[in-house]
């Protein structure tokens, strides 16, 4: 039987999609694999590709701040991405980050699905639309449906939130926090749900559906 570390090691040489051609490092994920909460982002950017670590650039710094504002950090949650290699457009010679394509997302499920299978989180927080479309439903609408509990194949429930890179762009065009308070609130909701589900399990009761999970939190 494969261990979590063996799965991680195997991913580091993956050639299953075109993103392997230009990557520096595969970014498998990091944090606490025993955590009841997993955050799943979109994919590595330039800094993540360089370091092999998720969310270490500007967006990552904002995510860290939102975790800190909730009394959390990377030792308390697990953080990974929808695709493990950087997606960029190289047509001008200089890489410009782009969203992962559907076939790349599908190919990388060969790592994400067993990764989530090992961790067995109570709650998944999808960071940004590509993650929510992959793990919750194809037609997920991030601005309308963020912060709500959904059924998920890989956890008791999943919630989606705004991507910190989107928030950083909004901060520049608007005179408000760009949605940062929503990110903080969604992390709080996800963590509270995870804690409640751990407690429930300790007490011997296990809500099995997202609806039953929802009734735990006065939805
Ligand atoms: N954006 C993501 O979605 N993931 C990262 O790891 C970094 C930036
Ligand atoms: Fe493999 Fe995923 Fe990287 Fe594609 S993005 S090469 S599937 S690890």
């Amino acid at each position: 039987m494969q261990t979590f570390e063996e799965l991680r090691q195997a991913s580091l040489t993956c050639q299953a999609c075109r993103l392997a051609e230009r990557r520096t490092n595969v970014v498998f994920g990091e944090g606490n694999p025993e955590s009841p909460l997993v955050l799943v982002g979109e994919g590595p950017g330039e800094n993540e590709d360089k370091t092999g670590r998720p969310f270490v650039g500007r967006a990552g710094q904002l995510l860290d701040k939102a975790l800190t504002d909730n009394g959390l950090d990377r030792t308390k949650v697990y953080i990974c991405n929808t695709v493990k290699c950087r997606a960029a457009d190289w047509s001008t010679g200089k890489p410009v980050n782009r969203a992962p394509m559907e076939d790349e997302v599908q190919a990388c499920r060969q790592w994400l699905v067993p990764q989530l299978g090992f961790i067995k989180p109570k709650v998944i927080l999808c960071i940004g639309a590509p993650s929510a479309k992959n793990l919750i439903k194809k037609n997920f609408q991030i601005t309308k449906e963020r912060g709500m509990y959904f059924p998920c194949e890989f956890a008791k429930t999943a919630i989606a939130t705004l991507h910190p890179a989107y928030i950083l762009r909004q901060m520049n065009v608007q005179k408000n926090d760009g949605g940062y308070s929503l990110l903080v609130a969604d992390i709080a909701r996800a963590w509270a749900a995870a804690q409640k589900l751990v407690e429930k399990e300790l007490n011997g009761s296990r809500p099995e559906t997202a609806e039953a999970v929802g009734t735990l939190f006065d939805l």
Side-chain angles (χ1 to χ4, degrees), residues 37-62:
L37 176 62
V38 173
L39 278 51
V40 182
E42 178 171 324
E46 183 182 8
N47 294 290
E48 293 77 19
D49 177 68
K50 269 191 194 142
T51 59
R53 299 183 54 210
F55 282 104
V56 292
R58 274 190 74 216
Q61 285 163 24
L62 194 65

Side-chain angles (χ1 to χ4, degrees), residues 3-219:
T3 64
F4 191 60
E5 179 53 21
E6 283 164 357
L7 178 75
R8 192 186 72 83
Q9 287 288 342
S11 76
L12 303 183
T13 55
C14 178
Q15 300 283 336
C17 82
R18 69 179 73 75
L19 298 183
E21 290 165 24
R22 300 273 195 166
R23 72 163 181 246
T24 313
N25 286 294
V26 172
V27 183
F28 181 72
E30 69 177 33
N32 180 1
E34 309 278 314
S35 177
L37 176 62
V38 173
L39 278 51
V40 182
E42 178 171 324
E46 183 182 8
N47 294 290
E48 293 77 19
D49 177 68
K50 269 191 194 142
T51 59
R53 299 183 54 210
F55 282 104
V56 292
R58 274 190 74 216
Q61 285 163 24
L62 194 65
L63 179 63
D64 277 333
K65 180 165 146 51
L67 286 170
T68 305
D69 285 356
N70 276 293
L72 298 171
D73 60 37
R74 290 179 189 232
T75 67
K76 298 204 175 72
V77 300
Y78 191 87
I79 304 182
C80 63
N81 280 303
T82 302
V83 292
K84 312 302 191 193
C85 302
R86 183 187 187 189
D89 176 1
W90 291 77
S91 60
T92 63
K94 169 168 153 269
V96 179
N97 288 348
R98 62 160 171 82
M101 293 176 191
E102 183 57 22
D103 62 333
E104 296 158 353
V105 171
Q106 289 307 318
C108 214
R109 280 174 69 104
Q110 73 182 95
W111 305 112
L112 181 59
V113 169
Q115 185 172 36
L116 295 172
F118 269 109
I119 301 171
K120 291 195 177 59
K122 297 281 183 274
V123 179
I124 294 173
L125 179 64
C126 296
I127 304 191
S131 176
K133 286 174 193 285
N134 187 26
L135 296 176
I136 299 176
K137 55 176 181 171
K138 255 213 230 81
N139 58 350
F140 195 91
Q141 292 188 278
I142 194 78
T143 47
K144 266 197 202 154
E145 296 180 304
R146 51 143 287 281
M148 295 163 56
Y149 296 104
F150 285 90
C152 178
E153 200 181 330
F154 311 106
K156 293 285 181 220
T157 187
I159 309 176
T161 192
L162 302 177
H163 196 289
Y166 168 84
I167 293 170
L168 287 170
R169 284 194 300 274
Q170 293 301 107
M171 282 174 170
N172 283 334
V173 296
Q174 298 175 358
K175 282 203 177 74
N176 57 27
D177 78 348
Y180 176 74
S181 56
L182 296 176
L183 173 64
V184 173
D186 292 341
I187 292 173
R189 260 164 96 68
W191 183 249
Q195 293 306 111
K196 206 133 190 178
L197 285 162
V198 170
E199 257 171 55
K200 283 275 159 193
E201 194 169 70
L202 289 176
N203 295 334
S205 112
R206 296 155 174 261
E208 289 299 336
T209 63
E211 204 176 35
V213 170
T215 60
L216 287 174
F217 316 111
D218 307 321
L219 298 178

